[in-house]
Amino acid sequence: MEESRRDCKKSSPPNAPPLPEPRRKISSRKGLVLDGEPLKGCSYVATTTKDLWERMFNEGYRADVTIHTDNGGVIYAHASILGIASPVMKYMLKQSKSRGRRKSISVRGVPHQAVRAFIRFLYSSCYEQEEMNEFILPLLVLSHVFVIPPLKRECERQLENGLLTTDNVVDIFQLSLLCDAPRLSIFCHRMIVKSFITISSTDGWKVMKQSHPMLEKELLESVIDADTRKQERLKKLDQRKIYLQLYEAMEALVHICRDGCRTIGPHDKVLKGDQPPCDFSACKGLESLVRHFAGCKLRVPGGCGHCKRMWQLLELHSRLCGEPNECKVPLCRTFKERLQQQSKKDEVRWKLLVQNILRAKKLSGPSFFRSAIDICA
């Protein structure tokens, strides 16, 4: 006995029990979706429970509810499942009359397969993508009528991510208003406004025009408002482009008069024609204008058109410049002194132009005339 005990102590400990088997792969049919996520080939998600609910629905084991659909269709279900999933169905089951051991309710107005896909979702939260593509509108209506938020959100997601087209957007827009789906209605509204010419020629639009003329009127007003806003936006962009061009011309004018550019500049600067390209884009056009202004015999306001433009640029510069005593641009200080002699109307017009130019430049980048911005601020 003593030797046997020694042998037991020397022997190795017993092997540990085997680990539980991993959750087995469950092959799924192509297009199967669980909780909004497609199951590509197989699923590792609570397979036993999911399969149990699927079998309970498909086999109708001990079903105590008969659901009647259009064209004589019948679906067997369980009152406990339907009542927990939908408060509306719970109320319908309480009001329904029993026929033997089963209660009977009716779901009419939608295809039988759509009702079957809907009831299946109540059991396992699964659906076939092919059925969703075909019955998306009935499923949206059923999810709203029977208060099934997860299915309603999934229908909205599917529509926003590809099932919404120019052919069905008018019908879905009307359904979104009836089914209290504000996000979907906004999504549809934007699509209608964006592709109005194509959508207004569809059968859905023609039917809506006959059945809901007020809704058509509201959509037309939205399209007109959107077009008006677009035109105003384009107009502002064009104006801003002009203001930026004027600002660039002011920069180039200071550059020419202070530093010189290639072959034109102040008299005390030695200029070389082989200098690298100028960084100021407006320099080339402004250089020819300055040369014309210097040699024109009609160099008076209201005379030559090119000279008139040059006078306006010089005056605009004086209103932007904050250092007239040190500025090398011709007539800068003279224009500053003449500001008090201008009429109030001209003063307001010039001030508005300067503000718009500085605002446009502020949006695009740092300003060249820092002191002028400080004065106008």
Side-chain angles (χ1 to χ4, degrees):
M1 287 293 292
E2 194 68 27
E3 291 180 357
S4 62
R5 287 178 181 174
R6 292 196 193 100
D7 294 338
C8 288
K9 290 181 180 179
K10 294 179 181 180
S11 62
S12 59
N15 295 330
L19 294 173
E21 294 183 2
R23 287 178 290 182
R24 62 188 181 90
K25 286 186 177 181
I26 302 296
S27 61
S28 60
R29 289 170 288 176
K30 184 178 180 181
L32 184 64
V33 179
L34 175 64
D35 293 332
E37 297 295 329
L39 304 178
K40 298 179 180 179
C42 59
S43 170
Y44 294 91
V45 182
T47 54
T48 305
T49 303
K50 180 181 69 67
D51 287 350
L52 184 64
W53 291 116
E54 287 280 316
R55 285 185 60 191
M56 182 179 292
F57 169 71
N58 291 326
E59 298 177 7
Y61 177 72
R62 292 200 173 186
D64 54 358
V65 178
T66 303
I67 303 173
H68 297 277
T69 62
D70 287 349
N71 300 322
V74 176
I75 300 172
Y76 298 103
H78 302 80
S80 56
I81 303 297
L82 301 183
I84 291 176
S86 168
V88 177
M89 283 196 168
K90 184 177 182 180
Y91 177 80
M92 291 174 64
L93 290 170
K94 287 182 179 180
Q95 300 298 318
S96 65
K97 295 181 179 179
S98 301
R99 296 180 179 179
R101 295 182 179 180
R102 290 179 178 169
K103 292 189 175 183
S104 177
I105 59 175
S106 297
V107 180
R108 308 286 185 179
V110 294
H112 172 80
Q113 285 300 116
V115 180
R116 182 172 179 81
F118 170 71
I119 300 299
R120 177 194 177 188
F121 187 89
L122 301 185
Y123 276 76
S124 61
S125 298
C126 292
Y127 61 85
E128 299 288 344
Q129 188 61 51
E130 291 80 1
E131 292 180 336
M132 178 64 76
N133 295 344
E134 184 177 358
F135 303 115
I136 183 71
L137 298 186
L139 288 175
L140 176 62
V141 173
L142 290 171
S143 66
H144 173 72
V145 171
F146 292 102
V147 193
I148 310 296
L151 179 58
K152 188 175 182 179
R153 287 194 297 268
E154 180 61 19
C155 290
E156 293 177 3
R157 189 185 70 84
Q158 292 273 341
L159 287 167
E160 293 176 9
N161 292 337
L163 295 185
L164 189 66
T165 65
T166 55
D167 291 327
N168 63 15
V169 65
V170 176
D171 295 332
I172 295 173
F173 177 61
Q174 296 176 84
L175 274 181
S176 67
L177 297 176
L178 294 173
C179 296
D180 190 24
R183 175 184 169 85
L184 181 60
S185 64
I186 293 174
F187 201 88
C188 293
H189 186 274
R190 290 177 178 173
M191 186 174 182
I192 292 172
V193 172
K194 184 178 180 180
S195 307
F196 174 73
I197 296 178
T198 302
I199 295 173
S200 60
S201 61
T202 61
D203 293 336
W205 182 275
K206 295 174 183 176
V207 173
M208 181 195 67
K209 184 177 180 180
Q210 296 294 328
S211 58
H212 299 92
M214 292 302 298
L215 183 58
E216 185 210 18
K217 182 180 178 181
E218 292 178 3
L219 287 173
L220 289 174
E221 291 176 352
S222 298
V223 172
I224 294 172
D225 291 342
D227 186 65
T228 302
R229 289 194 297 270
K230 181 180 179 180
Q231 296 299 327
E232 291 177 352
R233 201 159 51 243
L234 292 175
K235 183 179 178 180
K236 289 181 179 180
L237 288 175
D238 291 339
Q239 290 176 346
R240 182 167 173 264
K241 184 178 180 181
I242 293 173
Y243 295 143
L244 287 175
Q245 289 174 348
L246 287 173
Y247 190 92
E248 291 170 358
M250 295 299 98
E251 288 181 324
L253 182 62
V254 173
H255 164 63
I256 290 173
C257 297
R258 184 186 62 189
D259 307 321
C261 181
R262 290 190 293 265
T263 60
I264 187 171
H267 62 86
D268 56 348
K269 290 278 186 178
V270 179
L271 304 175
K272 297 180 180 180
D274 58 350
Q275 291 180 354
C278 181
D279 294 333
F280 294 90
S281 58
C283 249
K284 187 174 181 180
L286 190 60
E287 182 179 346
S288 60
L289 188 63
V290 171
R291 289 186 182 277
H292 170 85
F293 183 75
C296 182
K297 297 180 180 180
L298 299 175
R299 192 178 56 184
V300 293
C304 173
H306 295 292
C307 292
K308 181 180 180 180
R309 183 183 175 192
M310 191 65 201
W311 281 104
Q312 291 173 341
L313 290 176
L314 291 172
E315 184 171 0
L316 178 59
H317 163 79
S318 69
R319 292 177 177 273
L320 284 167
C321 183
E323 300 175 350
N325 295 327
E326 300 178 5
C327 183
K328 292 188 177 183
V329 177
L331 304 176
C332 179
R333 183 174 180 180
T334 303
F335 277 112
K336 285 283 187 183
E337 294 173 351
R338 289 174 52 187
L339 293 180
Q340 297 179 354
Q341 301 176 8
Q342 289 187 337
S343 64
K344 188 175 181 179
K345 182 178 180 180
D346 289 341
E347 179 64 22
V348 171
R349 179 167 57 86
W350 277 105
K351 188 174 182 179
L352 180 61
L353 176 60
V354 170
Q355 288 176 349
N356 289 333
I357 290 174
L358 293 177
R359 187 180 297 113
K361 183 57 183 176
K362 186 177 181 181
L363 293 174
S364 62
S367 175
F368 185 81
F369 296 93
R370 297 305 307 172
S371 57
I373 292 181
D374 295 337
I375 292 172
C376 295

